[in-house]
């Protein structure tokens, strides 16, 4: 019997019959009649109307908010303008260290960092120099999109050539921007510097 409606009169105990509104509910098999009163014809009182028109509840909430706006109690960092304090042991962007005296990379191309990496994201290429009879680094690729910054590559390096710095701004607009080559690793990330 869908669509059929039946008028049901609901009364609260202790109220006179004239104050109880009459409501129309659809007649269904599974609908429980547990409502104590019907709110369709309820009239708003003057006090409630006054509170809604003059936004008393909003003003009370704003009063509580502004009570805690004392500058001594604000802990928000103004991020682009103020640099946050990073933990001492934070592991961020990788850097390939360069010898400051000779301006050459400290990497000896031993490939231990690539072996230690659980994600296999480091690729080290080297070539043997015929004059010095030593391996020299030709290419170093680091895929930051798969890096979980565990620090195993840093621990495996015998000459401290690879280091995870405290730089945390690594955002890139392209996937290719996440793959760092040797020059990018030696230079390090270049985040945007904001000024007031």
């Amino acid at each position: 019997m869908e669509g059929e409606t039946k008028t049901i009169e609901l009364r609260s105990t202790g109220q006179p019959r004239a104050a109880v509104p009459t409501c129309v509910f659809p007649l269904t098999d599974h609908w429980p009649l547990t409502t104590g009163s019907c709110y369709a014809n309820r009239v708003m009182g003057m006090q409630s109307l006054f509170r809604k028109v003059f936004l008393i509840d909003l003003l009370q909430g704003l009063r509580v908010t502004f009570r805690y706006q004392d500058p001594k109690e604000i802990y928000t960092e103004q991020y682009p303008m103020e640099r946050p304090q990073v933990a001492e042991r934070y592991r961020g962007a990788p850097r390939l260290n360069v010898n400051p005296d000779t301006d050459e990379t400290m990497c000896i191309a031993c490939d231990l960092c690539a072996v230690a990496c659980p994600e296999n994201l480091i690729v080290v290429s080297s070539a043997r120099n015929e004059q010095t009879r030593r391996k020299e680094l030709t290419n170093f690729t680091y895929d930051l999109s798969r890096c979980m910054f565990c620090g195993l590559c840093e621990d495996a390096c015998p000459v401290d050539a690879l280091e995870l710095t405290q730089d945390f701004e690594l955002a890139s607009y392209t996937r290719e921007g996440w793959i760092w080559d040797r020059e990018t690793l030696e230079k390090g990330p270049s985040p945007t510097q904001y000024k007031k």
Side-chain angles (χ1 to χ4, degrees), residues 19-101:
V20 177
T22 303
C23 301
V24 178
F25 295 103
L27 184 62
T28 60
D29 296 335
H30 305 293
W31 185 73
L33 292 174
T34 57
T35 309
S37 63
C38 181
Y39 297 101
N41 298 329
R42 187 171 178 188
V43 178
M44 185 182 301
M46 276 309 280
Q47 184 178 5
S48 177
L49 180 66
F50 179 77
R51 290 181 72 87
K52 288 187 182 200
V53 169
F54 291 105
L55 305 172
I56 301 299
D57 295 330
L58 175 68
L59 295 176
Q60 286 177 342
L62 287 175
R63 188 183 72 189
V64 171
T65 301
F66 288 122
R67 189 182 316 152
Y68 294 100
Q69 292 298 316
D70 185 17
K72 293 178 288 202
E73 298 180 13
I74 294 176
Y75 298 105
T76 305
E77 293 178 346
Q78 303 301 323
Y79 164 59
M81 306 303 174
E82 298 175 11
R83 308 307 293 168
Q85 291 291 328
V86 181
E88 184 180 339
R89 294 174 57 188
Y90 177 80
R91 294 189 294 256
R95 179 177 61 212
L96 201 57
N97 290 327
V98 175
N99 190 344
D101 299 333

Side-chain angles (χ1 to χ4, degrees), residues 27-194:
L27 184 62
T28 60
D29 296 335
H30 305 293
W31 185 73
L33 292 174
T34 57
T35 309
S37 63
C38 181
Y39 297 101
N41 298 329
R42 187 171 178 188
V43 178
M44 185 182 301
M46 276 309 280
Q47 184 178 5
S48 177
L49 180 66
F50 179 77
R51 290 181 72 87
K52 288 187 182 200
V53 169
F54 291 105
L55 305 172
I56 301 299
D57 295 330
L58 175 68
L59 295 176
Q60 286 177 342
L62 287 175
R63 188 183 72 189
V64 171
T65 301
F66 288 122
R67 189 182 316 152
Y68 294 100
Q69 292 298 316
D70 185 17
K72 293 178 288 202
E73 298 180 13
I74 294 176
Y75 298 105
T76 305
E77 293 178 346
Q78 303 301 323
Y79 164 59
M81 306 303 174
E82 298 175 11
R83 308 307 293 168
Q85 291 291 328
V86 181
E88 184 180 339
R89 294 174 57 188
Y90 177 80
R91 294 189 294 256
R95 179 177 61 212
L96 201 57
N97 290 327
V98 175
N99 190 344
D101 299 333
T102 61
D103 204 28
E104 293 179 357
T105 183
M106 294 175 64
C107 181
I108 58 174
C110 64
D111 207 25
L112 287 176
C113 55
V115 172
C117 181
E119 293 292 322
N120 297 325
L121 53 90
I122 300 174
V123 177
V124 179
S125 302
S126 63
R128 187 166 299 276
N129 189 343
E130 295 301 327
Q131 284 90 16
T132 60
R133 306 290 295 161
R134 293 173 52 186
K135 285 197 320 185
E136 289 184 355
L137 183 68
T138 57
N139 194 10
F140 195 101
T141 307
Y142 198 104
D143 187 0
L144 272 174
S145 65
R146 295 179 12 223
C147 183
M148 58 184 172
F149 302 100
C150 62
L152 292 176
C153 57
E154 180 182 18
D155 294 338
C157 185
V159 292
D160 295 329
L162 188 61
E163 176 185 9
L164 294 179
T165 63
Q166 291 186 339
D167 296 327
F168 58 90
E169 296 173 318
L170 304 174
S172 176
Y173 290 105
T174 61
R175 291 188 183 201
E176 291 79 22
W178 284 96
I179 300 172
W180 289 11
D181 58 356
R182 177 180 173 179
E183 289 76 24
T184 309
L185 285 165
E186 289 175 354
K187 184 178 63 173
S190 55
T192 305
Q193 298 295 326
Y194 297 95

